[in-house]
Amino acid sequence: MSSRSSGTGPREEFLAEIRQQIEGMGADSNTHSLSRAWIQGTLKHKYAYHFSWMGQPIIQYPQDILAVQEIIWSVKPDLIIETGIAHGGSLIFSASMLELNAISGGPQDAQVLGIDIDIRAHNRAAIEAHPMARRIAMIEGSSVAPEVVSQVKSRAAGKRSVLVMLDSNHTHDHVLAELEAYAHLATVGSYCVVFDTIIEDLPDDAFSDRPWRKGNNAKTAVWEFLRHHSEFEIDKSIEHKLLITVAPDGYLKRRR
Ligand SMILES: C[S@@+](CC[C@H](N)C(=O)[O-])C[C@H]1O[C@@H](n2cnc3c(N)ncnc32)[C@H](O)[C@@H]1O
């Protein structure tokens, strides 16, 4: 049957092929092990710290940056909430994507709201002087402090499409509290992305200078959260596509 008579065009056929290839990668345990070994090998070199977005350091693996680009393009958020600012590279990245959405007919006044317990003066100055600054607002304080949570909620009120990304303190209790506070601000069809769930899959000594480790991390928090929140599901197709990601089980899609 020709593509015309089956009601599909070349683009749909191409996308169907891609879906099949991604499913194949998801089932390929050998490739998964190689990817995990590669991540483990690069962690000790602080690989995630070596990139920047529009001049500002971003602490991410490039594959995850690309996945978030795809999400921001398809969800077209008018608000992105991010916990964990550090140097501000991820805020600048999100803001630049909102700018691209805006010139492509998406929300014109979309904003990124960043929250960090410690916004260093030089980072704040660089973010505020950046060409993307008009799309960025910041709150200094713990992401789980009640006064911070209520400020974020009031900024999210009335927004049509909200994306949430959690990348601050990666302990179980902290991430679970962030999920309880912010996940439901993500609108239906959008995502709550939880970074550094990979900690659960790495040897115990991978983060000896940090409070998080196997059994106490962002992934264990996601699993506990999902036990009571079936309105979210893990979008496995994203990690199957990336293979290299610090957020396995961390791309949570809101279904209802
Ligand atoms: C991994 S960095 C964020 C990286 C950033 N998202 C990026 O991609 O470039 C983690 C940040 O979380 C912040 N942080 C730690 N505990 C926090 C808390 N309780 N509330 C808010 N931010 C916190 C730290 O100050 C640090 O800047």
Side-chain angles (χ1 to χ4, degrees):
M1 191 188 292
S2 75
S3 61
R4 188 178 285 273
S5 58
S6 66
T8 59
R11 180 181 159 86
E12 285 68 29
E13 282 175 12
F14 177 67
L15 294 176
E17 253 176 51
I18 287 175
R19 276 194 297 276
Q20 231 175 11
Q21 288 157 357
I22 290 172
E23 264 177 43
M25 291 197 298
D28 181 349
S29 57
N30 183 44
T31 307
H32 280 286
S33 312
L34 290 170
S35 304
R36 192 58 45 78
W38 187 86
I39 291 177
Q40 212 171 306
T42 54
L43 267 178
K44 62 178 177 293
H45 299 290
K46 294 201 143 204
Y47 181 87
Y49 289 74
H50 303 163
F51 302 92
S52 60
W53 192 269
M54 295 182 79
Q56 206 54 18
I58 181 168
I59 308 172
Q60 294 293 351
Y61 274 58
Q63 287 81 357
D64 287 305
I65 299 175
L66 203 59
V68 174
Q69 176 274 139
E70 291 189 0
I71 290 173
I72 296 175
W73 179 257
S74 67
V75 168
K76 301 268 188 290
D78 54 357
L79 179 68
I80 299 177
I81 297 164
E82 291 191 24
T83 68
I85 296 174
H87 302 267
S90 60
L91 290 188
I92 303 288
F93 166 71
S94 293
S96 70
M97 288 310 306
L98 295 179
E99 198 69 42
L100 290 177
N101 279 354
I103 63 167
S104 312
Q108 295 301 299
D109 52 357
Q111 288 266 320
V112 192
L113 176 59
I115 302 118
D116 201 294
I117 199 166
D118 179 16
I119 307 175
R120 307 269 164 91
H122 64 283
N123 289 330
R124 180 186 284 280
I127 295 164
E128 289 177 349
H130 197 277
M132 292 297 124
R134 72 185 185 90
R135 295 204 175 267
I136 297 172
M138 291 178 277
I139 297 174
E140 187 164 57
S142 174
S143 53
V144 297
E147 65 278 11
V148 172
V149 174
S150 80
Q151 276 184 70
V152 175
K153 282 185 173 164
S154 62
R155 282 175 187 255
K159 298 294 181 191
R160 288 181 309 278
S161 178
V162 180
L163 168 65
V164 176
M165 294 192 265
L166 307 179
D167 189 23
S168 66
N169 174 327
H170 305 302
T171 59
H172 177 96
D173 288 349
H174 185 82
V175 177
L176 187 57
E178 283 190 330
L179 281 164
E180 296 291 356
Y182 299 121
H184 286 87
L185 299 181
T187 41
V188 174
S190 181
Y191 287 77
C192 176
V193 182
V194 184
F195 287 102
D196 280 9
T197 46
I198 186 82
I199 296 161
E200 178 65 12
D201 306 332
L202 297 171
D204 243 349
D205 60 358
F207 298 93
S208 49
D209 56 337
R210 300 296 177 110
W212 41 85
R213 56 186 155 69
K214 203 182 265 299
N216 174 11
N217 57 65
K219 191 186 264 189
T220 58
V222 164
W223 288 343
E224 183 169 342
F225 178 78
L226 290 180
R227 274 203 287 277
H228 311 287
H229 294 286
S230 59
E231 58 278 26
F232 288 89
E233 69 183 0
I234 296 169
D235 186 343
K236 280 280 188 187
S237 71
I238 297 181
E239 67 191 78
H240 291 164
K241 167 161 53 179
L242 300 182
L243 293 175
I244 287 168
T245 173
V246 300
D249 286 6
Y251 286 91
L252 306 183
K253 185 166 190 172
R254 183 156 181 199
R255 303 187 309 157
R256 54 183 161 78

